[in-house]
Amino acid sequence: MRIGDLAERAGVSVRSLRYYEEQGLLTSTRSTSGQRHYTDYEVERVTFIQRLYAAGLSSRTIAALLPCVDAPSEENSDAALERMGEERDRLTTHITELLQTRDTLDKVMASARAYREQFEAGIETGAEARAVSA
């Protein structure tokens, strides 16, 4: 099948498929005119790649995991599980950092609200004082 057909069947853009090929995640054969051709197997591979991207993995990490798919073995499986564990740890650290950032933003917002309330109270007090002295 040609690249447009694969894109349609896998639900991705042609540009994504070209990127996957540039990154070594996907291969094709070429016709004499240079057109890319794929087999039905690549539909499943692209779907798998999309799942890995959705899990937050980079193309470099996905490339490191694909030997487990291409040449299943206990060694490749262990390496893939170890790499996914590292990525999970990285995501957990990132989540912790994001939560700390959110908490800091909450504190800044609370300070801004308190300042605004003091400012508004000062305006009201000043207006009342001017009305009484007049």
Side-chain angles (χ1 to χ4, degrees), residues 88-131:
R88 188 180 190 290
D89 291 345
R90 183 189 62 79
L91 288 170
T92 298
T93 299
H94 188 62
I95 289 166
T96 300
E97 292 168 352
L98 286 171
L99 290 171
Q100 290 170 347
T101 301
R102 184 197 61 194
D103 292 346
T104 300
L105 180 58
D106 287 344
K107 290 174 186 172
V108 170
M109 291 171 64
S111 294
R113 285 187 187 102
Y115 177 79
R116 185 181 69 194
E117 289 171 5
Q118 289 176 348
F119 180 76
E120 289 172 349
I123 291 174
E124 291 173 10
T125 304
E128 291 170 4
R130 284 190 298 277

Side-chain angles (χ1 to χ4, degrees), residues 25-80:
L25 307 177
L26 186 65
T27 58
S28 65
T29 58
R30 298 283 183 139
S31 68
T32 54
S33 62
Q35 293 180 335
R36 292 173 172 93
H37 289 276
Y38 302 92
T39 65
D40 288 336
Y41 169 76
E42 274 78 33
V43 175
E44 292 177 36
R45 186 175 186 93
V46 170
T47 301
F48 180 66
I49 291 168
Q50 286 291 298
R51 287 180 52 208
L52 294 174
Y53 273 120
L57 303 180
S58 67
S59 58
R60 180 178 294 148
T61 300
I62 293 169
L65 297 176
L66 288 177
C68 186
V69 175
D70 297 334
S73 70
E74 189 173 329
E75 182 180 333
N76 284 342
S77 180
D78 289 345

